[in-house]
Amino acid sequence: MNLSMRWLSDYIDVSDLSIKEFCSGLTISGSKVERWETEGEEISKVVVGKLLSVVPHENSDHLVVCQVDVGKAGNGEPIQIVTGAPNVKAGDIVPVAMDGSTLPNGIKIKKGKLRGVESNGMLCSLGELGLTTHDFPYAIADGIFIMQQEEGCPELELGMDIKEAIGLNDTSVEFEITSNRPDCLAVIGLARETAATFDRPYTVKEPTYKGIDGDINSMLKVNVQNTDLCSRYIAGVVKNVKIGQSPRWMRERLRASGVRPINNFVDITNYVMLEYGHPMHAFDIRYIKGNEINIRNAKAGETITTLDGTERALTENMLVIADAESPVAVAGVMGGEYSGIMDDTVDVVFESACFDGASVRTTAKALGMRTDASARFEKGIDPQNAYPAIMRAFELVEMLGCGEVVNTIIDADHSDKTPKGVEFNPAWINGFLGTDISEDVMKKCLEKLDFKIENGMAYAPSVRIDIECKADIAEEVARIYGYNNIPKTIIRGVAAAELTEKQKFERKIMNAMTSLGAYEITTYSFISPKYFDKIRLPEDSKLRNTVVITNPLGEDTSVMRTTLIPSMCEVLARNYNNRNASACLFELGNEYLPTGAELPDEPVRLSVGMYGGNRDFYDIKGIVDAMLKNVGVEDFEYEACTDSAVFAEADAFHPGRCAVITKDGRAIGIVGELHPETLENYGIGTKAYAAKINVTEILEVAVATKTYKPLPKFPATTRDLAIVCDEALPVAKLEKAIKKAVGSILETVTLFDVYQGKQIAEGKKSVAYAISMRSHEGTLTDEQADAAVKRVLKELSALGAELRA
């Protein structure tokens, strides 16, 4: 919100305050100031001048030599200026940039010679002063600014500073208004805050107008079909309108507020929106078919061409303003193409309404259009403010002499007028704030903001839609009393916050990884679709189904990642290309998997990557193995992985040096050496290894608490087995069979030898295990141990393994 200080002065006198004092005070009381700016600050030594004569340049066909009277600025003597502008003539009043003057953007003007003729300054156009024809509609864009004396403005005097002459000297203060304070998106709202902050009176006059006799009901019908989304709709009619430019004082205030002047009727609606914080719209009554206004939901298949000339498809959950046949405006967002005010408009309908904020926001977002009106409706508008807003519009119509206001209105009011009171409890407020403020001081603070205190209740003005509970009342007291006046106190109580089980588990993982020598990294969640090609994902891979970002910074950040592997490879490549001899990294981050609903599934994943330092597959497998055991995952297994049917990212890995980690038959991770093509795609010139662990899944199977067994009372019995099996049979399957056969008395099973040679047939291998067995109930007998070994041999036989001779 940009506030014109000249406009603010209509409501409250702050002329004794410096701009710094004003901004500091409002910021401390809760209305944060971003910056302030005084118009024309860069302009110096530019004055009002009068052309005494304009004669052709003796050495040029397009230049003219002007004698200019600049009054006291020229010490009573005319100055000579050469210009190429074709629109100047003797008698014109123009802006004159003197020798040594400064224009916007730091442009300096010095005297010199043009084609041998001395020129002691420059005649200025609108653009050279930082203005446009919207600021001065009577001027031309491509030529010298020929000034006119406008009604109600200071008389133009020769030598007068141009900023004073054309009103280019207002100070504008930019406020950052939070979403809960729509009342401050208005000059009156900020005047109220100013009055409360500096403890001085402010005045808001009730708008009045004379009007002409007439019954609006004979000219127009209004039907609110959806009272949930439109709580109030007021319509008024202005006849015999005269479309033209607004007076300069209005154009100046709009410009200082960041709004471009258009014409008197459009400017009036914008002026009221800025002054009262209530958006308005004006319709040309000719284009309201059937002279009927219906506030309804759009029908399936309906479209509307909005004021910006774009045809937009509407949906049934969008609220529209429609005539007897079709929509003429999108409620709270923008009018239709033929609803605007045109040069030949005769009769106008003024609309002052209150639409549901959530509905306006979803509609504006769906249509891809945000306006000043929609921004205000989204934050919430007071239905009771609709009436004074339309009255002010009618007052301005008569003030500007641009139409005849019919003195009856249609007011379809479905709003709840019940005053919303909040308990006023001074003791509770002091306890909440840690203060000792008297009840009288609290009341004065609230009354400055137009609150009413009655029967132990505080009633806020209707525009304060943010006041809902006792804490809100306490906040109002604190900020007007002055945060700087509240004494320092020691924090009381103890924070009860604690980590969730998920957070504790993730910290366990991070602690385990750092203790294993890995460095944590953090990468962006949005990536390029090309990353999937770099890790060799198949074209039909489910991981290519991504959440696409609507307004990405670029193609490289256009989709949300569905796997962490590409991000890890990018960091490994960056380290390798920066000549780091080795790296061992990990990242705990989210993947974003589309679900068909509005929001994707966001499972947590752990990625690990390493290269260099003579590392191999068993190094990264050892890190993953240690981490899983550290966080309580037990009895997991490794299985060879050869294609993406087993694990989606398998194609990124070397087919013979990759394993899937499973727990109870469920894949929980993948680990292995990266495929040579993957390494080539990333420019990594050495073997590199990666792993991905599904944290969400391992959290479900991890043992939360560790249990400790007492020291054994009875001795262990050991047996060594050497068996012969097929070379391709994984030893993990053998070990699993041994564990199953031995049962509860198994203590450990240790592989201590794998042999292939002359004594072993081709295609076979010899595998030797040390099996330790122990009972907690008594010493194992030889018969019990031998029986266990027999069960083992039977299980191994089913796998094609036999006892070595």
Side-chain angles (χ1 to χ4, degrees), residues 296-338:
R296 60 171 174 81
N297 287 73
K299 299 175 183 177
E302 278 189 322
T303 62
I304 185 174
T305 301
T306 46
L307 283 170
D308 57 3
T310 303
E311 184 177 0
R312 303 179 188 274
L314 303 173
T315 60
E316 295 179 38
N317 62 339
M318 296 179 180
L319 192 70
V320 297
I321 312 299
D323 57 23
E325 297 180 8
S326 59
V328 296
V330 182
V333 182
M334 185 180 287
E337 183 178 23
Y338 296 106

Side-chain angles (χ1 to χ4, degrees), residues 29 31 107 114 166 370 375 437 456 483 614-615 673 729 734 737 748:
S29 68
S31 303
I107 298 173
L114 293 177
I166 62 176
R370 290 286 300 284
I437 305 172
Y483 294 125
N614 296 319
R615 293 185 173 98
E673 180 182 327
L729 183 64
L734 298 173
T748 60

Side-chain angles (χ1 to χ4, degrees), residues 453-483:
I453 311 299
E454 297 176 353
N455 302 321
M457 300 290 288
Y459 296 93
S462 60
V463 291
R464 291 298 304 275
I465 62 174
D466 59 309
I467 304 299
E468 296 180 346
C469 60
K470 290 189 294 184
D472 294 330
I473 300 297
E475 179 186 3
E476 298 302 297
V477 170
R479 68 187 187 86
I480 300 304
Y481 178 75
Y483 294 125

Side-chain angles (χ1 to χ4, degrees), residues 413-626:
D413 189 0
H414 302 278
S415 62
D416 182 7
K417 296 183 176 60
T418 305
K420 294 181 180 179
V422 176
E423 181 186 354
F424 176 63
N425 187 332
W428 185 91
I429 293 173
N430 277 324
F432 183 71
L433 298 177
T435 56
D436 187 21
I437 305 172
S438 69
E439 181 176 343
D440 287 341
V441 171
M442 288 186 186
K443 286 182 178 180
K444 288 179 181 178
C445 290
L446 295 172
E447 287 167 353
K448 290 177 184 179
L449 294 167
D450 293 341
F451 280 68
K452 292 183 179 179
I453 311 299
E454 297 176 353
N455 302 321
M457 300 290 288
Y459 296 93
S462 60
V463 291
R464 291 298 304 275
I465 62 174
D466 59 309
I467 304 299
E468 296 180 346
C469 60
K470 290 189 294 184
D472 294 330
I473 300 297
E475 179 186 3
E476 298 302 297
V477 170
R479 68 187 187 86
I480 300 304
Y481 178 75
Y483 294 125
N484 293 341
N485 297 324
I486 296 176
K488 298 176 182 178
T489 56
I490 298 175
I491 296 176
R492 297 187 294 270
V494 178
E498 62 179 47
L499 297 176
T500 64
E501 292 303 317
K502 177 175 176 289
Q503 290 171 326
K504 292 176 183 177
F505 189 74
E506 290 175 359
R507 293 199 179 188
K508 271 187 182 180
I509 293 175
M510 290 188 286
N511 291 336
M513 292 303 300
T514 52
S515 68
L516 291 165
Y519 289 87
E520 185 178 9
I521 63 170
T522 302
T523 60
Y524 290 118
S525 298
F526 32 82
I527 63 173
S528 168
K530 296 178 181 178
Y531 281 17
F532 299 134
D533 296 328
K534 295 176 77 171
I535 65 167
R536 306 177 68 252
L537 272 187
E539 290 297 328
D540 60 350
S541 174
K542 63 182 181 181
L543 296 182
R544 288 184 181 268
N545 179 26
T546 60
V547 176
V548 180
I549 299 173
T550 303
N551 54 342
L553 298 175
E555 185 183 4
D556 289 344
T557 55
S558 60
V559 299
M560 302 301 291
R561 65 186 177 194
T562 54
T563 171
L564 266 63
I565 296 296
S567 301
M568 177 57 70
C569 290
E570 287 287 331
V571 179
L572 290 176
R574 192 175 304 120
N575 278 270
Y576 177 80
N577 293 326
N578 286 333
R579 300 185 179 182
N580 287 335
S582 63
C584 182
L585 313 170
F586 78 94
E587 177 180 15
L588 201 64
N590 294 91
E591 293 177 346
Y592 301 84
L593 309 178
T595 60
E598 184 177 358
L599 296 176
D601 188 19
E602 300 181 22
V604 180
R605 302 291 190 237
L606 169 70
S607 66
V608 186
M610 62 170 58
Y611 72 85
N614 296 319
R615 293 185 173 98
D616 59 16
F617 170 84
Y618 294 103
D619 286 298
I620 191 166
K621 177 178 177 291
I623 287 178
V624 171
D625 201 86

Side-chain angles (χ1 to χ4, degrees), residues 182-183 185-188 272-279 376 381 385:
D183 60 297
L185 290 171
V187 176
I188 292 176
V272 173
M273 178 180 70
L274 293 170
E275 190 171 37
Y276 281 76
H278 200 99
R376 283 170 166 79
I381 294 293
N385 201 31

Side-chain angles (χ1 to χ4, degrees), residues 720-740:
D720 291 346
L721 284 180
I723 56 177
V724 178
C725 63
D726 290 337
E727 181 183 0
L729 183 64
V731 294
K733 284 192 175 182
L734 298 173
E735 185 174 324
K736 186 176 181 181
I738 294 171
K739 290 180 179 178
K740 178 181 177 183

